[in-house]
Amino acid sequence: MRRRLRPWLRAFGGVAILVGLVWHLGSAALLDGLRRIDAGALAAGVGIGALTTVCSAWRWCLVARGLGLRLPLGRAVADYYRALFLNAALPGGVWGDVHRAVRHGRDAGDVGRGVRAVVWERAAGQVVLLAAGAVVLAVRPSPVRAALGEVLGGPVGVAVSAVVAVAVAGAVGFWLVVRARRRRDDGAPERCGGAGRSAVARVRRVWVAPAVWPGVAAASVVVLAGYVGTFLLAARVAGVRAPVVDLVPLVVLALLAMALPLNVGGWGPREGVAAWAFGAAGLGAAQGLATAVVYGVLALAASLPGAGVLLGRVVTLAVSGRRPGRAASGASDRKADGCPDTGVSGQSDNAA
């Protein structure tokens, strides 16, 4: 019962944030942002969204192939578009990713690895965003940094800082274990059901493989640049004329807020943090809310091709009158004895 209620509770949190912002700032900021959106801005948002979606799908392909699953780039792009649309249309903002993870896993014959591929692909993007945010906030002087320091100086900030420190320490420790295990096991064949199926071996096969992590990192950087570019475009559409270098720290904070699980299709924390950050920077909370609203509309427009993919799927099922059979590609990618490949398979298929 709790699991069924969680998405709705998260959606309620996002709605509560939006209602609070409108009550505090008035509806004029929200409506002003909507009125400023024109066809040129929508076209630019859809174009940037196409670039980020293709790069995200390519990142997913690399991670999936590192886990031994076949995933052509064309199918990955279509599934990613559909996931973006479902994330935007359904409460919680994650059901599209759940759908593409389970569907790919079933088609490949291994739901577990299909889910891991999506989780690790999304985690890679979050790691790059966190790293970029830390660098931007540390290097670029900004009134927001001082305000953020005051917030983090309180009890809640101390708790958050402790959690982040523990997470970083755990990640570093895990990386050291993987490196030590790799040096110790170099040249030693892995046995089915043993080290080859351990979590350390799986992570090593994906993140340490030179054919995987450079592409994943490059794709993540391009995706982040696309998100930042869309937010800067939204700021200009909303009437913000501040220099780009002053806007980037505010944009990064708003993007980080989108990872919070209290949203309705991404709406909620993004608008709240944007309003706070723009207000702390002296640009006005109303301008921050208007910018976040414009960004949300541009992101929604960029996800609309996913509705076409979803509709095409429904039409195909209706015409055929049956459910498409499960692809046999997952089984063919495995060894005859049931052990997964330890190398990166299919790396040349649609990877560029």
Side-chain angles (χ1 to χ4, degrees):
M1 186 68 177
R2 288 182 179 179
R3 291 182 179 179
R4 294 181 179 179
L5 290 177
R6 281 177 187 173
W8 298 105
L9 292 176
R10 293 171 180 173
F12 176 79
V15 171
I17 293 174
L18 292 175
V19 171
L21 287 171
V22 173
W23 178 78
H24 183 68
L25 300 174
S27 60
L30 188 148
L31 296 177
D32 183 59
L34 293 176
R35 280 194 296 264
R36 289 173 174 267
I37 301 173
D38 56 16
L42 289 174
V46 171
I48 298 175
L51 173 63
T52 58
T53 302
V54 171
C55 289
S56 297
W58 181 46
R59 181 176 64 192
W60 182 25
C61 288
L62 293 175
V63 175
R65 290 165 185 172
L67 288 170
L69 300 178
R70 183 178 180 274
L71 180 60
L73 181 59
R75 175 189 166 177
V77 171
D79 286 355
Y80 218 103
Y81 261 121
R82 178 172 52 206
L84 290 175
F85 176 74
L86 292 176
N87 285 344
L90 299 177
V94 297
W95 292 112
D97 292 322
V98 172
H99 179 267
R100 70 181 170 100
V102 174
R103 182 169 182 264
H104 177 226
R106 285 177 176 172
D107 290 345
D110 193 327
V111 175
R113 282 197 289 176
V115 171
R116 283 195 297 272
V118 170
V119 171
W120 291 0
E121 177 264 321
R122 292 301 301 269
Q126 293 301 317
V127 167
V128 170
L129 174 58
L130 288 170
V135 170
V136 168
L137 293 175
V139 172
R140 176 64 187 171
S142 173
V144 173
R145 188 170 67 181
L148 190 62
E150 293 178 3
V151 173
L152 293 179
V156 176
V158 172
V160 172
S161 301
V163 171
V164 172
V166 171
V168 171
V172 172
F174 187 71
W175 180 80
L176 292 175
V177 169
V178 171
R179 294 291 294 177
R181 184 68 174 265
R182 185 188 185 193
R183 286 194 293 267
R184 188 180 66 185
D185 291 347
D186 273 347
E190 295 176 345
R191 293 175 297 175
C192 183
R197 290 191 177 275
S198 68
V200 173
R202 287 195 298 264
V203 173
R204 184 183 67 194
R205 196 162 57 241
V206 174
W207 300 120
V208 183
V212 175
W213 71 263
V216 170
S220 299
V221 170
V222 174
V223 170
L224 177 58
Y227 291 159
V228 172
T230 303
F231 230 116
L232 294 176
L233 171 64
R236 292 295 185 246
V237 172
V240 180
R241 295 294 176 257
V244 170
V245 292
D246 293 337
L247 290 176
V248 168
L250 318 181
V251 167
V252 169
L253 285 175
L255 290 174
L256 287 170
M258 292 176 63
L260 297 176
L262 299 174
N263 64 79
V264 183
W267 298 77
R270 176 184 63 215
E271 285 69 29
V273 170
W276 170 83
F278 276 65
L283 300 176
Q287 288 277 50
L289 175 59
T291 298
V293 167
V294 174
Y295 176 89
V297 174
L298 296 181
L300 179 61
S303 72
L304 288 181
V309 174
L310 188 62
L311 180 61
R313 175 76 171 175
V314 172
V315 171
T316 300
L317 292 176
V319 170
S320 64
R322 60 184 179 84
R323 190 173 181 178
R326 177 179 297 178
S329 59
S332 65
D333 286 340
R334 301 182 184 182
K335 292 184 178 180
D337 58 0
C339 291
D341 250 344
T342 56
V344 180
S345 63
Q347 196 65 35
S348 62
D349 295 339
N350 297 320

